[in-house]
Amino acid sequence: RAKVEGGGVARRFDPELFAAAEQRRLAEADLLRGIEAGEFEVHYQPIVDLDGGHTVGVEALVRWQHPVQGLVPPAVFLDLAESLGMLPRLGGWVLEEACRQAIGWQTRFPGFELNVNLSASQLGNPKLIDEVRAILEQTGLPPQDLVLELTESVALTDLVESARVLSALKSLGVRIALDDFGTGFSSLSHLSSLPVDVIKIDRSFVQAMPESGDASVAEAVMHIARTFNLSPVAEGIENAEQASRLRDLACGRAQGYHFARPMPAGGVTELLDKQGVPIQTL
Ligand code: C2E
Ligand code: MG
Ligand code: MG
Ligand code: MG
């Protein structure tokens, strides 16, 4: 049994704890190696106009093309990367890469929109505004076609500071979206104090909509959007039923496996080629 409290704390050797710490060290080293080796890539999930059914933009989603594990989703590495302070660098790379891609799509489809996620550490990074400005200038992407997404939990951690940073971002001309909307409880009382343009209705509400029956939560969120004059985007649409119910609720835009999964840039180019029609911009 462990003893010696006070001066130094001697703990009993715990093989599980040791294994976990060792695991984390390995993951850390692997992550650093992966970043150095340029193993990260950006995939894009189409965002569609629910009325016309056509793609009007994409959300950039980072992936790790791991030499052994294959394509690794962000749920596996983002928290670690964030805790290691790597997100400003990795996220900056994602933003630049995605803006370059988007400007390519825009040459044929002016107004094509790009959504990019920001992490807590990116929002807290004093260089963020200059970085976004520089990337917009270098790539030539019109600021109004860039939407930066933040989760409620990130935006609400320090409301005053968030409002300041978001205002500075908006002064560049970009738009702000609250991601996974409805999953943070304090959101409503603070919604009016943040300069937000878009709310992304969390997929848990979309998927909670019964096949037949009422859609009261999704309906309530749509009401909130209208009240605060925010453009709603529904996330996680997986079937035609959900799509048509949201259309009935006058939700303009949606994203989900029903329309398209996240895909490499080439897939979006093909999709736009097939679609052919010009994008209706907001
Ligand atoms: P998110 O921003 O809410 O992105 C939507 C997530 O839902 C994506 O997961 C997408 O693949 C998934 N999704 C889309 N449609 C459906 C559907 O119909 N059903 C289901 N079950 N899922 C759907 P993904 O790509 O694994 O990303 C997870 C989260 O990781 C993102 O959630 C975002 O918070 C974060 N993330 C991804 N890329 C980045 C990035 O470049 N920077 C930052 N800071 N965070 C990122
Ligand atoms: Mg997002
Ligand atoms: Mg989301
Ligand atoms: Mg989500």
Side-chain angles (χ1 to χ4, degrees):
R1 198 78 188 93
K3 354 168 182 274
V4 199
E5 297 286 331
V9 183
R11 270 189 253 115
R12 185 172 55 121
F13 176 74
D14 181 337
E16 270 178 41
L17 211 64
F18 180 78
E22 190 58 22
Q23 203 70 55
R24 190 182 150 90
R25 265 193 299 277
L26 286 172
E28 230 180 273
D30 201 23
L31 191 56
L32 284 166
R33 185 201 51 72
I35 288 178
E36 287 302 325
E39 291 171 359
F40 288 81
E41 47 187 71
V42 185
H43 284 200
Y44 301 88
Q45 185 177 35
I47 298 174
V48 304
D49 176 299
L50 264 179
D51 287 319
H54 55 283
T55 298
V56 294
V58 287
E59 176 174 3
L61 296 159
V62 69
R63 265 92 184 105
W64 184 2
Q65 189 66 64
H66 193 279
V68 178
Q69 289 164 48
L71 199 65
V72 183
V76 176
F77 62 84
L78 266 189
D79 284 351
L80 181 62
E82 179 76 329
S83 71
L84 292 172
M86 292 171 177
L87 248 282
R89 181 172 158 207
L90 185 60
W93 174 80
V94 169
L95 180 64
E96 185 168 353
E97 172 75 15
C99 285
R100 275 189 210 297
Q101 271 304 333
I103 199 72
W105 293 320
Q106 281 213 346
T107 56
R108 290 177 308 143
F109 298 95
F112 193 72
E113 290 173 11
L114 172 68
N115 284 40
V116 179
N117 295 285
L118 289 185
S119 74
S121 68
Q122 285 179 280
L123 194 71
N125 181 1
K127 293 188 189 133
L128 177 69
I129 313 297
D130 286 339
E131 188 186 14
V132 173
R133 184 191 294 113
I135 289 173
L136 287 169
E137 278 171 12
Q138 280 157 25
T139 60
L141 189 74
Q144 69 269 21
D145 296 327
L146 177 63
V147 181
L148 297 174
E149 299 190 4
L150 295 140
T151 61
E152 286 178 85
S153 53
V154 167
L156 299 176
T157 307
D158 181 345
L159 197 65
V160 175
E161 177 62 6
S162 292
R164 190 188 65 75
V165 177
L166 295 185
S167 298
L169 284 170
K170 279 186 62 87
S171 71
L172 300 176
V174 305
R175 282 176 291 153
I176 307 294
L178 268 191
D179 205 350
D180 305 342
F181 182 80
T183 55
F185 287 105
S186 50
S187 57
L188 265 191
S189 50
H190 298 313
L191 204 50
S192 54
S193 54
L194 288 176
V196 171
D197 307 279
V198 174
I199 54 176
K200 300 193 76 176
I201 305 168
D202 191 68
R203 70 164 176 265
S204 59
F205 302 118
V206 171
Q207 288 167 4
M209 288 196 305
E211 303 255 308
S212 57
D214 82 334
S216 51
V217 179
E219 211 172 327
V221 175
M222 290 299 301
H223 188 73
I224 291 166
R226 270 193 296 277
T227 305
F228 291 95
N229 201 19
L230 303 166
S231 310
V233 179
E235 294 191 286
I237 312 278
E238 293 187 350
N239 57 55
E241 178 74 26
Q242 290 163 347
S244 88
R245 296 189 140 259
L246 284 154
R247 201 179 300 115
D248 292 346
L249 293 174
C251 183
R253 292 183 168 193
Q255 206 177 330
Y257 295 168
H258 173 62
F259 303 106
R261 290 189 175 248
M263 57 183 93
V268 176
T269 305
E270 274 173 39
L271 190 144
L272 290 177
D273 279 343
K274 278 192 206 126
Q275 182 169 286
V277 301
I279 309 292
Q280 285 297 308
T281 52
L282 282 177

